[in-house]
Amino acid sequence: MKDKYGIMEIDVNRFITKIINTKEKCDMKHWLYPANVKYYDVVEAFTTEDLIAWPMTSKVEVGDTVYMYLGQPFKQIMFKCQAEEINVPLERVMDQANKYIKTEGKSPKKNFMLLKRLEQYDKNQDGPLAFSMMKLNGLKGSIMGPQCLENNETLYNYIHKMD
């Protein structure tokens, strides 16, 4: 719509909201998180719970995407999640976490994040989200800790395409 001088009028509030939303989308990250099925019943937790408590060992923010990579015998990404809440104290999630712990060991001293499962992928060690396929498509080394996929454009693009 133009004003009487022929100058285009804009809805400033809508324009600012659009800029903020675009910035938020650009700032969201995608993470590859390892999960050791020897110590924690990852599959049961991620298929049973609406929100899964997971130790925070990186700079995940609310809204970030977290791909859960399960080690042996799976050796693949099994779940795509979204971070719903971060910096959750251990005391608040310990009851849930204790249901899925398989062995006695050190208690995590870090805060947790609450993950909402968005997708579950079929078990397929030769599939596109398997360790061997990710190695061929940008994964460097093994998955020992969280990796921000934006730091590895090749792997990020591959996983995003397979998703």
Side-chain angles (χ1 to χ4, degrees), residues 23 28 34 47 62 70 78 145:
K23 181 178 180 345
M28 287 194 317
T47 55
V62 170
L70 280 60
M78 288 289 293

Side-chain angles (χ1 to χ4, degrees), residues 29-33 58-60 64-67 147-149:
K29 303 276 187 230
H30 299 78
W31 297 89
L32 184 58
Y33 252 75
S58 66
K59 296 180 180 179
V60 172
D64 285 359
T65 299
V66 177
Y67 293 96
Q147 298 180 25
C148 179
L149 292 172

Side-chain angles (χ1 to χ4, degrees), residues 11-27:
D11 180 344
V12 175
N13 288 334
R14 206 170 100 200
F15 182 70
I16 290 171
T17 300
K18 188 170 186 171
I19 289 172
I20 290 169
N21 287 342
T22 301
K23 181 178 180 345
E24 286 174 0
K25 287 178 187 168
C26 293
D27 289 342

